[in-house]
Amino acid sequence: MRLTFKEKTAYGLGAIGKDMVYMLSASYVLYYFQDILGVSAVAMGVILLVARIFDAFNDPIMGIVVAKTQTRWGKFRPWLMIGTLTNAVILFLMFSAPPKLNGGGLVAYAAVAYILWGVTYTMMDIPYWSMIPAFTKGGREREKLTALARSCAGVGSALITIFTMMIVHMIGGEGTEGERTGFRWFALIVAVLFIIFITMTCVSIKEKSTVNTESPSVGAMFKALFTNDQAMTVVIAIVLINTAIYITSNLVIYFFKYDFGGVDWYKGYTLFNMFGGAIQILSMMLGYPLLRKRFSNTNIFYITLTSAVIGYIALFGIAFINMSNVYILFVPGFFIFAANGVLQILTTIFLANTVDYGEMKNNRRDESVIFSMQTFVVKLASGIAAFVAAICLSLNSLSSDEVTEADQAVDFASGVAEGSKLGLRMTMTIIPVIGLIIAVLVFRKKYILTDEKVRELAEEIARKRESEQQM
């Protein structure tokens, strides 16, 4: 039975809500605690990285819990709803640090809040993506649903990227205290929208098929995961690609504030993100479908990675000329944001395909365990990226505490040394390029699930299930 318009719409809305939450945390939690509240950049980098290491154990275990769940509402929707409600509460608390806290107390608050946010996000993210193989028959239907969900997720991410600083300043006003107030109420708005969208998803959809297997032990699940060489190849590629992307997304706000400069720096930042968000959404909704008509998914992968590398190199070069006009940054931004949009779709499709591969190789269909790795590696990448960004900020003394009140009144960038600006530019461009090149080399050497191979796997699984039903 084909997916209905209602089911597709509801699933897409869930993606918008959850990626609004994710992007707010991934892009602004470092800025909130380090630049606004004054927590040490190194301390924040360690917190974000340690939280992701903790997820190395939490995410696969959550995948196992989902796989074993049996309720009248299915095994996905209960956890999807529980995770959403708890994560929404934690999100608000994370961006609502008590004013009286400082020093060690503030560091502890940041650590506890961020770790709890990661745990509760996993509770809803794994079942959300795990529904794809159980919600579709494979092949083109799976690709279309994945592309839709990723496009909607891109919309959610873009909305946060575009409007966060504009709304924060609109709600809270100017200055550090204004940003602190603005982030608290903006987080509440995002949390409420998150709950509404996921509730609509849970009410409108249900899993249509699954494979009944015995509940595996933890050891057996880890064995099944690590013996799926294609899943591990995709996981490595996702870590490298997302680390590159998140390093830039963590530092771009500092680039506009302390390098590009200007009293109204956040307006240029908002305009750049508005352009980038539009390009990313268009690349998902129009770019990928157009490319798919002429190229295989693997070839599209190489094309988009090449585009991203070109964009980063152009950004590094442009950073050395007069940047008084934000529109010149649109040129490298186009290549980077367009590539990012398509890559978000491709990596999810590649990971979904490894579920079929794993079923044929290991005689297990471990949707939840495989997709728990997507949640884990995306958060691991954000942790690594945040740690790299934090080291960059610390080494280059980029913080509102390092700039005098006189400098702030005119231009944050006026109080920053040229060497610090150069360090920032190199971190947000050269390091991502190195990561993307390594991703290409690993993927080219290890990944074998071409379009033809995926079709063969789908046909083999269909014959296998038909044979089992006849027995």
Side-chain angles (χ1 to χ4, degrees):
M1 184 176 178
R2 297 175 64 86
L3 297 175
T4 66
F5 177 78
K6 178 182 178 181
E7 289 171 326
K8 294 177 182 178
T9 302
Y11 196 70
L13 285 173
I16 292 175
K18 77 179 203 61
D19 268 57
M20 286 176 66
V21 166
Y22 183 80
M23 187 54 65
L24 182 60
S25 174
S27 295
Y28 293 102
V29 71
L30 176 63
Y31 178 77
Y32 175 76
F33 280 103
Q34 183 265 339
D35 205 72
I36 297 176
L37 302 190
V39 176
S40 162
V42 174
M44 282 305 303
V46 171
I47 289 171
L48 299 179
L49 186 59
V50 169
R52 299 292 67 82
I53 294 174
F54 173 78
D55 281 338
F57 299 93
N58 176 53
D59 287 18
I61 290 174
M62 189 63 212
I64 294 169
V65 171
V66 172
K68 290 185 176 183
T69 298
Q70 297 293 333
T71 74
R72 58 183 295 188
W73 300 283
K75 62 181 179 180
F76 300 113
R77 287 186 293 171
W79 289 111
L80 187 57
M81 200 68 242
I82 293 170
T84 295
L85 292 172
T86 53
N87 187 257
V89 173
I90 297 299
L91 179 76
F92 174 68
L93 294 176
M94 185 164 65
F95 284 97
S96 303
K100 294 182 180 180
L101 281 181
N102 54 56
L106 193 56
V107 171
Y109 185 91
V112 172
Y114 192 67
I115 289 174
L116 287 177
W117 179 87
V119 170
T120 54
Y121 187 84
T122 297
M123 288 170 62
M124 61 75 49
D125 193 55
I126 289 175
Y128 179 86
W129 291 115
S130 296
M131 294 183 78
I132 291 180
F135 201 47
T136 62
K137 296 180 180 180
R140 287 290 183 176
E141 183 182 52
R142 179 180 298 168
E143 281 192 17
K144 289 179 180 179
L145 182 64
T146 301
L148 171 66
R150 274 300 173 191
S151 296
C152 290
V155 171
S157 297
L159 289 173
I160 294 300
T161 302
I162 293 169
F163 294 111
T164 295
M165 293 310 297
M166 181 190 300
I167 295 177
V168 164
H169 281 264
M170 186 184 302
I171 296 174
E174 303 294 332
T176 300
E177 284 304 313
E179 287 188 331
R180 182 170 187 161
T181 301
F183 267 107
R184 180 172 68 248
W185 295 116
F186 183 65
L188 179 62
I189 293 171
V190 173
V192 171
L193 290 174
F194 180 36
I195 293 172
I196 293 173
F197 289 159
I198 291 295
T199 299
M200 294 174 68
T201 302
C202 290
V203 169
S204 302
I205 65 174
K206 63 180 180 179
E207 58 209 80
K208 293 187 176 181
S209 64
T210 189
V211 177
N212 293 322
T213 59
E214 295 179 2
S215 296
S217 65
V218 173
M221 294 293 280
F222 273 100
K223 182 179 179 180
L225 175 64
F226 288 108
T227 54
N228 189 328
D229 58 293
Q230 294 304 289
M232 293 309 298
T233 298
V234 176
V235 161
I236 293 171
I238 293 174
V239 169
L240 291 168
I241 292 168
N242 283 1
T243 297
I245 293 170
Y246 291 144
I247 286 174
T248 306
S249 67
N250 271 290
L251 291 177
V252 71
I253 189 170
Y254 293 91
F255 173 77
F256 273 90
K257 187 172 184 178
Y258 296 111
D259 193 340
F260 188 83
V263 177
D264 295 328
W265 62 269
Y266 65 89
K267 293 182 180 178
Y269 172 76
T270 299
L271 185 61
F272 177 75
N273 283 330
M274 188 175 296
F275 170 80
I279 294 299
Q280 183 170 313
I281 293 170
L282 288 174
S283 72
M284 288 179 166
M285 294 184 172
L286 299 178
Y288 173 74
L290 289 174
L291 288 170
R292 192 67 178 95
K293 290 180 180 180
R294 298 190 59 184
F295 303 102
S296 68
N297 279 326
T298 50
N299 284 337
I300 296 173
F301 181 76
Y302 297 131
I303 291 170
T304 51
L305 281 180
T306 301
S307 171
V309 170
I310 291 172
Y312 278 118
I313 293 174
L315 178 61
F316 183 68
I318 289 174
F320 286 94
I321 66 176
N322 185 0
M323 294 184 298
S324 60
N325 192 333
V326 69
Y327 294 103
I328 195 171
L329 298 176
F330 286 9
V331 177
F334 172 83
F335 288 99
I336 296 171
F337 282 109
N340 185 27
V342 176
L343 286 170
Q344 295 306 307
I345 295 176
L346 286 175
T347 51
T348 305
I349 291 173
F350 290 153
L351 200 59
N353 289 338
T354 68
V355 175
D356 287 346
Y357 176 83
E359 181 176 355
M360 292 302 299
K361 183 177 181 179
N362 303 320
N363 294 315
R364 294 200 61 86
R365 189 171 181 83
D366 298 312
E367 305 107 317
S368 295
V369 175
I370 295 297
F371 274 87
S372 73
M373 291 304 294
Q374 173 168 278
T375 305
F376 163 59
V377 298
V378 168
K379 290 193 290 185
L380 174 64
S382 71
I384 296 172
F387 183 75
V388 172
I391 296 300
C392 169
L393 298 175
S394 179
L395 291 176
N396 294 291
S397 301
L398 293 173
S399 171
S400 59
D401 292 338
E402 303 290 340
V403 183
T404 67
E405 290 185 6
D407 290 325
Q408 291 183 31
V410 180
D411 184 355
F412 280 98
S414 63
V416 178
E418 288 301 317
S420 295
K421 294 180 181 180
L422 176 61
L424 174 63
R425 296 168 188 173
M426 293 184 66
T427 304
M428 64 185 289
T429 55
I430 303 302
I431 293 178
V433 166
I434 294 172
L436 293 177
I437 291 174
I438 296 174
V440 170
L441 296 176
V442 171
F443 193 84
R444 188 176 182 82
K445 183 177 181 180
K446 297 291 186 179
Y447 192 73
I448 64 171
L449 296 181
T450 61
D451 289 355
E452 182 179 352
K453 182 67 174 178
V454 169
R455 285 193 295 269
E456 291 176 0
L457 285 172
E459 291 171 0
E460 288 181 34
I461 290 173
R463 288 194 296 269
K464 178 184 175 182
R465 291 178 182 172
E466 184 178 352
S467 177
E468 290 175 349
Q469 290 175 354
Q470 292 175 352
M471 294 178 62

